[in-house]
Amino acid sequence: MTDAVAIRGLRKVFEGRAGAVEALAAIDMTLAEGEFACILGPSGCGKSTLLNVIAGFEAPTEGSASVFGAPVSAPGPDRAVVFQEASLFPWLSVRDNVTFGPRMLGRPKDETDALARRFLDLVGLSGFEHHLPDQLSGGMKQRVGIARCLILNPRVYLMDEPFGALDAQTRMQMQELLTHVWDQARGTVLFITHDIDEAIFLADTVYVMTARPGRMRSRIAIELPRPRSIDLLTDPRFNALRADILRQIREEAIKAMAEEERARR
Amino acid sequence: MTAAVRRRAGLRELGLGLALPFVLVVIWEAAGRAGVVPQGILPAPSLVAAAWRDWAFADPGLGLNPYLGTWGETVLFSARRVFTGFVCAILIGVPMGIMIGWNRMVAGAVDPLIQSLRPIPITAWLPFAIAVFGIRDAGAVFLIALGAFFPIVVNATAGARDVPRNLIRAARMMGANERQLLLRVVLPAALPNIFTGMRLGLGIAWTAVIVAEIVAVKSGLGYVLWDAYYVGRMDVVIADMVSIGIAGFLSDRVLVAVQLRVLHWKQAVRA
C-alpha cells in the first residue's frame, strides 16, 4: 500500500536579509492512510513550514513530499488546509465560503448548496448559512474552515494550529467536535500544535520535533480507545503519556534557549 | 440609543452645520444692500438666486440670451463628460491596478511609467489634449479619464498587493485557477481600496471637466463659467460655481451609495 504522506530527506532553508535560516533539517516521515498524526514542537521549530511544503505553498530546498505517491508541486483540493486564522473570505456568506471549492471546480450550485448544508450541520452550524464571517465567533469561524475542507473530500487534511488562537473553553469544545467529525468522516490528518493535551487527545500518533532546525525527535503511538471524550484528560494512561512528552518538549525548549543565547553572544 | 434619539442628534448636528453658512449669506446679502460691495463684482445672494432661476426656468425666447432656460442642458453636458471619462478611468484603471499589484512582471513593466506620468498636473495636459483631439468632446473626456485614472490605478494596485496571503493560499488549496483567483479573491479583496480611489478620482474628474470646458469645448458648466465672466455676469458665475459644487457633491453621494451596497460585508458586524 502507498503511504498517504511520504516525506523524504526534506530540508528547508529560508534566505533572509539577515542570512540563511535552516528551518527544517532532513525530515523523514510517513503517514498511513487514515492516520491522525499530531506534530508537536516548540515555537519556531519549523512545524508550520513542514505543513506548508506538503500543502504546496512552499517548495522544499532539498528532498521531497509526496501524497499517495504523487510528488507535491502546487496546492490542490486533494490536500485541504485548515489555517490558524480561519482565513475565510469576508465578503462571502458562510454557505458560499463552504461551497467555494466545488464551485471553482464547476459543480452546480444546487448540488453544492445541499452538500454545504450537510457539512455545516455536521460541524453544528446549521442556521448560520447566510451569516457573514465577521458575524461569527472565533470557534464558529474555525468550524466553517473545517466544513469547507470536508466538502472537498480531500485525501489528506492539513491543520495548522487551527485552535491555537481560541480561548481554553472553546478550544476544548472544538477538540471534541473534531474527534466527533473525524469518527464520521475519517481521512488522513496532519495536525500541527504546541498543546500537548490537544495532541494526545486527538492523535493516533504524536511526532515530537526538535528545536530549530527541525527534525523528528520521536514518534509516540497513542493507543487510547475511540471515540474519545473529555473524561480522557484525567485518565492515568493520558497522564503517563503527557509526562513523557512534556519531558521531551522541555529538553528541546532548553536546547532552543541555549542555542539562542549562543547566537546572541 | 433609540432611533428617535439618534435622529434628534442628527438633526442637531445638521442645524449646527448650517448655522455658519446661513450667517455668512445674511452678512453677504446685507453688505450688498448697504452698497458696501459693488454688485458688479459680488452680487448679493438674492440677485444670484434670481439669475439662477432665469437660467434654469426662463423661456429661452429667440435664444439670444444664453442664460435663459439653459441650465439643465449645461449641467447635462458636463455630467455626461464626467460620467464617460470616469467610466473609462475605471475600466482601464481597475484591471491595470490589479495586474500591477498581482504580478511582479507587470509591476516592473508598467508601474515606473505610471509613477513618472502621475506628477504631471492635469492642467499641463491641456495643450496636448487639444492638439491631439481638437476642440471636441474627446479632449475633455481624455482629460477627465486621465485625471481620474491615477488615483484609481494607484489604489487598486495597493488593494491587490495587500490581499492577505492566507486568503490566496486558501483559494489555491480549494482548486481556484489563476483567473478565478483574480476575479473571486483579489478583486473583491481590493474593492475597499478601489472605492477609495474612485472617490478621489471623481473629485479630480469634476476639476478636469471645468478646466477642459473653459479651454477646449464650447458647452457645459466650465464654458458658461468663463463666458459669463467675460460678459460681466458675475451673478451667473456664482450660480455656476454653486451648481458645480452641488453636482460634485451629489455624484459623490451616488458613489458612496453604490459603495455601501457593494461593500455591505464591510459594515455587517452586528451585536
Side-chain angles (χ1 to χ4, degrees):
Chain A
M1 204 182 74
T2 15
D3 297 312
V5 176
I7 310 285
R8 295 279 169 261
L10 184 73
R11 191 162 164 268
K12 178 71 184 175
V13 178
F14 289 104
E15 301 289 347
R17 235 166 292 167
V21 175
E22 189 176 26
L24 296 173
I27 301 270
D28 281 286
M29 75 182 290
T30 52
L31 298 190
E33 183 167 7
E35 181 175 346
F36 196 126
C38 280
I39 296 193
L40 257 178
S43 40
C45 76
K47 48 195 194 295
S48 289
T49 305
L50 176 61
L51 181 138
N52 285 340
V53 169
I54 302 171
F57 297 148
E58 276 167 26
T61 309
E62 272 169 39
S64 68
S66 50
V67 171
F68 287 95
V72 169
S73 59
D78 58 324
R79 283 152 291 135
V81 180
V82 182
F83 298 87
Q84 176 166 12
E85 308 295 335
S87 301
L88 306 175
F89 303 120
W91 54 87
L92 293 182
S93 69
V94 164
R95 187 192 63 198
D96 292 347
N97 264 288
V98 173
T99 58
F100 186 91
R103 297 286 295 142
M104 291 304 105
L105 301 173
R107 306 257 300 269
K109 191 166 165 46
D110 45 345
E111 183 190 318
T112 60
D113 283 358
L115 274 175
R117 254 194 304 280
R118 202 177 104 208
F119 287 113
L120 283 171
D121 191 42
L122 186 60
V123 298
L125 280 182
S126 30
F128 288 94
E129 283 92 339
H130 302 292
H131 280 60
L132 287 165
D134 281 349
Q135 295 169 304
L136 304 181
S137 68
M140 290 162 92
K141 281 184 202 169
Q142 223 30 296
R143 284 189 259 171
V144 179
I146 292 169
R148 79 171 172 188
C149 286
L150 290 168
I151 203 172
L152 297 172
N153 191 24
R155 305 197 76 173
V156 178
Y157 294 88
L158 304 169
M159 303 196 176
D160 189 3
E161 302 196 43
F163 310 144
L166 304 177
D167 62 85
Q169 190 89 25
T170 314
R171 191 183 312 161
M172 213 176 275
Q173 282 171 10
M174 293 295 293
Q175 289 160 1
E176 268 200 305
L177 177 103
L178 184 61
T179 52
H180 168 73
V181 168
W182 190 71
D183 284 339
Q184 297 184 39
R186 289 289 157 167
T188 312
V189 180
L190 185 76
F191 189 105
I192 307 281
T193 181
H194 57 249
D195 180 336
I196 299 171
D197 287 3
E198 181 169 80
I200 302 172
F201 180 72
L202 294 172
D204 296 322
T205 28
V206 172
Y207 293 83
V208 179
M209 275 180 77
T210 65
R212 196 169 63 209
R215 296 168 202 274
M216 286 304 165
R217 180 188 158 125
S218 55
R219 176 183 188 278
I220 299 145
I222 309 292
E223 275 148 4
L224 297 172
R226 290 183 188 272
R228 294 176 187 171
S229 77
I230 291 295
D231 300 335
L232 199 61
L233 294 179
T234 50
D235 191 294
R237 286 172 296 176
F238 191 97
N239 283 326
L241 283 164
R242 182 205 275 139
D244 178 31
I245 295 173
L246 191 59
R247 180 183 48 78
Q248 297 191 26
I249 293 268
R250 193 179 295 141
E251 282 174 21
E252 287 309 320
I254 291 168
K255 235 187 272 172
M257 264 163 59
E259 183 69 31
E260 202 163 304
E261 254 166 52
R262 189 142 38 95
R264 266 175 213 203
R265 212 170 285 141
Chain B
M1 207 161 45
T2 68
V5 173
R6 212 176 308 142
R7 206 170 317 126
R8 222 172 303 140
L11 279 177
R12 201 178 315 131
E13 215 166 274
L14 185 68
L16 195 64
L18 287 176
L20 186 59
F22 180 77
V23 169
L24 287 178
V25 166
V26 167
I27 294 173
W28 175 13
E29 180 75 37
R33 293 202 179 184
V36 183
V37 224
Q39 291 303 287
I41 293 172
L42 185 59
S46 55
L47 297 177
V48 171
W52 199 347
R53 190 191 55 225
D54 290 343
W55 186 20
F57 303 113
D59 180 1
L62 293 174
L64 294 177
N65 182 343
Y67 309 124
L68 292 181
T70 56
W71 182 80
E73 63 185 69
T74 300
V75 171
L76 271 183
F77 271 122
S78 298
R80 207 178 303 140
R81 286 179 191 125
V82 166
F83 182 79
T84 313
F86 187 57
V87 168
C88 289
I90 293 171
L91 290 180
I92 301 168
V94 171
M96 194 180 278
I98 298 251
M99 286 316 296
I100 294 171
W102 178 245
N103 188 305
R104 215 172 287 174
M105 284 269 289
V106 179
V110 184
D111 208 34
L113 178 67
I114 288 179
Q115 295 311 328
S116 55
L117 290 181
R118 200 157 68 102
I120 302 174
I122 199 66
T123 41
W125 285 89
L126 257 171
F128 175 85
I130 296 172
V132 173
F133 297 100
I135 310 282
R136 282 188 298 123
D137 247 19
V141 171
F142 168 77
L143 272 191
I144 295 160
L146 189 70
F149 166 77
F150 288 112
I152 292 175
V153 76
V154 167
N155 281 281
T157 301
R161 199 170 277 160
D162 295 344
V163 181
R165 188 177 62 177
N166 276 353
L167 288 192
I168 307 283
R169 287 181 165 180
R172 283 224 164 99
M173 84 64 187
M174 287 188 279
N177 60 34
E178 205 75 358
R179 209 188 102 252
Q180 289 168 328
L181 206 55
L182 283 174
L183 288 178
R184 306 299 186 95
V185 182
V186 179
L187 177 63
L191 270 181
N193 290 71
I194 290 171
F195 269 102
T196 304
M198 289 201 290
R199 286 188 70 185
L200 291 168
L202 189 57
I204 295 177
W206 278 103
T207 308
V209 78
I210 298 308
V211 173
E213 286 171 349
I214 285 176
V215 181
V217 274
K218 300 233 163 293
S219 61
L221 285 166
Y223 172 72
V224 170
L225 186 73
W226 202 242
D227 191 59
Y229 163 73
Y230 259 109
V231 298
R233 286 294 303 270
M234 287 309 288
D235 47 354
V236 175
V237 166
I238 293 169
D240 192 302
M241 286 168 65
V242 180
S243 304
I244 296 166
I246 292 173
F249 175 78
L250 288 181
S251 58
D252 183 60
R253 287 293 98 190
V254 170
L255 191 56
V256 168
V258 173
Q259 178 180 17
L260 287 176
R261 273 192 82 93
V262 174
L263 300 181
H264 65 99
W265 53 274
K266 269 296 217 189
Q267 44 271 318
V269 191
R270 269 176 255 141

